[in-house]
Amino acid sequence: MREHERLYLDGAWVPSEGSGAIEVVEAATEEVMGRVPAGVPADVDRAVAAARAAFPAWSQTSVAERTEVLSEVAAGINARIDELADLVSAEVGMPRAQTPLIQVALAMVDFSNTAAALAEHSAETVVGHSLVVREPVGVVGAIAPWNFPLHQVAAKVAPALATGCTVVLKPSEQAPLTAFVLFDILDGLLPPGVCNLVTGAGPAVGRALVAHPDVDMVSFTGSTPTGRQVAADAAPTVKRVALELGGKSANLILDDADLERAVTDGVGKCYLNAGQACQALTRMLVPSERLAEAEEIAVAAAAIYEPGDPFAPDTLMGPLVSSAQRSRVRDDILRATSEGARLLTGGVEAPEHLDRGYYVRPTVFSEVTSGMAVAREEIFGPVLALMAHDGDDHAVALANDSIYGLAGGVWSSDPDRALSVARRLRCGQVELNGAIFNPEAPFGGYRQSGNGRELGRAGLDEYLETKAIQR
Ligand code: NAD
């Protein structure tokens, strides 16, 4: 049980101005595993004031000084990798065998990669008689979701600190515990006020942060509906807004692909973190003449993801994060069936061998068409939609027929063909033939998957203003 009664403001652990607490529930047991303060807008005011006061000095620190801090944070995360992995697996439900690498090491790499990118980043260029300088944008309000709770915090905090910005972080109220470990690591490494932690509900703390006139930029990761609200709330103060939102990403399997490999890999990509990954490849586009074959392979592959206790060593898929999330996913499964999609495996019934925990069975639909909600809306659960295509042009048209544009996959035995199809996809990330994630590459979406890019050098640019000085 983790009981946190304090927020981290102005370099110290202090009580909230409010008196409420938020319970953190373990996904697999449905038991309360922690409590954090339910912050209030007055806490945001204090945090922003501290960040504002710390900005002039922090923004003037040297690159070497900030690089050193980032490296120390990375080392601090590494030293606590088991503790952090336990917390993420309990809060979110990702199998414990996966969290050290996929959740915690990724966050560590966010800090070390940012340190490396900062060392190479050029803050000044010359354009004719102008000196063009890049400067930190100011006070950053960072708002994170629950599915990769530490990584998504790190993907904001690392570049913000690296560029000389100061930060007020609001982690997800559903998975806030790793943020307390991170601030334990930051405590003592940073001057007071440079990085502040306010936990609480989105409508209370998140909205206050977004609307705050002394916040210069909001970096938000979460759902597209909340992202729209964030953009609207930020508009009156015309602050910079970076949005990393939802997706309905397509995996295009071309007619010359190794079908067995492509479908098996694609099922795994869809079910990572029980489908709670923004870049999950949830639409699998298969040549129509091979749909029956793909269905068979997908059903066999899905069977491997039998849900189970995230702390059992052989579990490949754990529960969803919460009861509310499970209800949403079940409703989406029912809707897909009522729309005429053919259920091949899975469904709304709870797995027979599990009497508690927010589990959903690995689910595959086929004969999905582009008008169905299961093809259009983000589900954020282990639900794969198989769709038939009649060639590359049709596959590209289906893939791009979405309000989203976060990620995509292309499978072909011809690398040039795969690349030329990838170039036609309207999304921010494409993996060819199952290529692995690159944490240094720009990450972000087209269309309603957001704007801006995180990670590596591109992540630094988000937090910089540009000034032209004519001489
Ligand atoms: P969410 O939108 O419900 O919440 C995200 C965060 O915003 C939380 O901290 C929440 O408290 C806060 N919030 C809620 N309402 C707010 C408001 N009105 N103003 C300010 N803050 C508010 O999202 P979630 O359910 O936590 O996360 C899942 C979603 O995140 C999915 O849609 C997923 O695709 C998306 N996501 C996107 C990326 C990406 O990089 N594109 C990465 C991970 C998750």
Side-chain angles (χ1 to χ4, degrees):
M1 184 75 176
R2 297 257 171 161
E3 297 270 8
H4 294 285
E5 290 174 350
R6 286 162 187 262
L7 307 170
Y8 191 79
L9 303 182
D10 206 10
W13 292 100
V14 297
S16 163
E17 299 279 332
S19 54
I22 293 177
E23 290 185 337
V24 183
V25 176
E26 181 168 355
T29 63
E30 306 185 22
E31 282 167 14
V32 175
M33 61 173 285
R35 268 186 205 89
V36 301
V40 294
D43 298 321
V44 173
D45 289 341
R46 287 161 73 199
V48 173
R52 191 102 234 141
F55 179 71
W58 181 249
S59 61
Q60 294 306 311
T61 51
S62 68
V63 165
E65 204 173 319
R66 297 196 300 271
T67 306
E68 176 61 25
V69 168
L70 296 176
S71 304
E72 287 186 39
V73 179
I77 291 174
N78 193 37
R80 295 176 75 167
I81 198 161
D82 285 332
E83 176 191 2
L84 288 161
D86 283 347
L87 286 175
V88 176
S89 285
E91 281 178 328
V92 178
M94 181 183 259
R96 177 62 174 78
Q98 300 171 2
T99 41
L101 181 68
I102 298 181
Q103 298 265 2
V104 187
L106 183 56
M108 180 185 72
V109 163
D110 291 332
F111 279 94
S112 55
N113 277 349
T114 303
L118 181 65
E120 292 170 7
H121 198 269
S122 167
E124 299 194 351
T125 50
V126 173
V127 178
H129 66 290
S130 300
L131 176 68
V132 180
V133 298
R134 311 294 313 275
E135 299 177 338
V137 70
V139 174
V140 173
I143 302 177
W146 46 262
N147 56 331
F148 286 78
L150 187 60
H151 158 64
Q152 271 132 4
V153 163
K156 300 182 188 312
V157 170
L161 295 180
T163 48
C165 294
T166 55
V167 181
V168 178
L169 171 71
K170 194 209 93 61
S172 167
E173 59 274 45
Q174 299 195 64
L177 298 177
T178 54
F180 285 83
V181 179
L182 177 66
F183 274 75
D184 201 27
I185 294 167
L186 291 172
D187 186 31
L189 290 177
L190 291 170
V194 171
C195 208
N196 305 273
L197 172 66
V198 182
T199 48
V205 171
R207 287 196 84 173
L209 192 55
V210 171
H212 204 293
D214 275 340
V215 171
D216 299 294
M217 169 177 171
V218 169
S219 176
F220 171 84
T221 300
S223 64
T224 295
T226 311
R228 290 185 193 116
Q229 179 74 55
V230 166
D233 286 343
T237 47
V238 199
K239 53 176 60 83
R240 185 179 298 183
V241 180
L243 299 172
E244 300 287 344
L245 308 177
K248 189 77 208 182
S249 298
N251 194 9
L252 288 70
I253 302 179
L254 307 185
D255 59 10
D256 63 347
D258 176 340
L259 195 69
E260 178 86 35
R261 243 188 91 208
V263 173
T264 305
D265 181 89
V267 167
K269 294 278 165 56
C270 179
Y271 294 161
L272 179 73
N273 206 18
Q276 301 162 113
C278 52
Q279 78 279 23
L281 300 175
T282 49
R283 290 185 291 155
M284 185 180 284
L285 312 187
V286 179
S288 46
E289 66 279 10
R290 302 192 73 183
L291 184 62
E293 217 184 316
E295 287 175 352
E296 245 179 69
I297 302 167
V299 169
I304 298 166
Y305 293 86
E306 184 66 39
D309 174 5
F311 286 90
D314 51 354
T315 296
L316 287 179
M317 192 171 86
L320 301 190
V321 72
S322 65
S323 166
Q325 187 64 18
R326 180 180 56 185
S327 300
R328 275 195 288 270
V329 171
R330 283 178 172 168
D331 288 348
D332 288 338
I333 292 173
L334 287 175
R335 184 163 55 164
T337 313
S338 71
E339 282 178 318
R342 188 155 60 83
L343 182 67
L344 300 182
T345 187
V348 290
E349 297 79 20
E352 280 153 23
H353 57 295
L354 297 160
D355 55 5
R356 58 183 191 159
Y358 308 120
Y359 294 96
V360 171
R361 296 157 72 201
T363 297
V364 181
F365 283 103
S366 187
E367 295 172 25
V368 172
T369 54
S370 53
M372 296 178 184
V374 65
R376 307 201 77 76
E377 292 177 18
E378 182 178 56
I379 293 180
F380 234 55
V383 181
L384 177 66
L386 292 186
M387 303 173 74
H389 73 77
D390 296 324
D392 297 8
D393 291 347
H394 185 218
V396 169
L398 284 174
N400 290 340
D401 180 16
S402 174
I403 62 163
Y404 297 111
L406 190 57
V410 183
W411 286 82
S412 166
S413 56
D414 175 350
D416 293 336
R417 181 177 171 197
L419 181 59
S420 82
V421 168
R423 289 185 195 280
R424 296 168 66 192
L425 298 180
R426 302 287 300 159
C427 60
Q429 287 257 324
V430 187
E431 54 177 69
L432 303 186
N433 293 321
I436 60 166
F437 181 69
N438 177 359
E440 280 181 278
F443 188 92
Y446 288 22
R447 311 199 76 214
Q448 293 187 35
S449 288
N451 53 53
R453 292 294 177 271
E454 290 194 318
L455 308 183
R457 264 192 226 193
L460 292 176
D461 288 333
E462 288 281 307
Y463 295 87
L464 292 168
E465 277 288 13
T466 303
K467 180 186 286 172
I469 304 169
Q470 280 64 249
R471 301 184 278 190

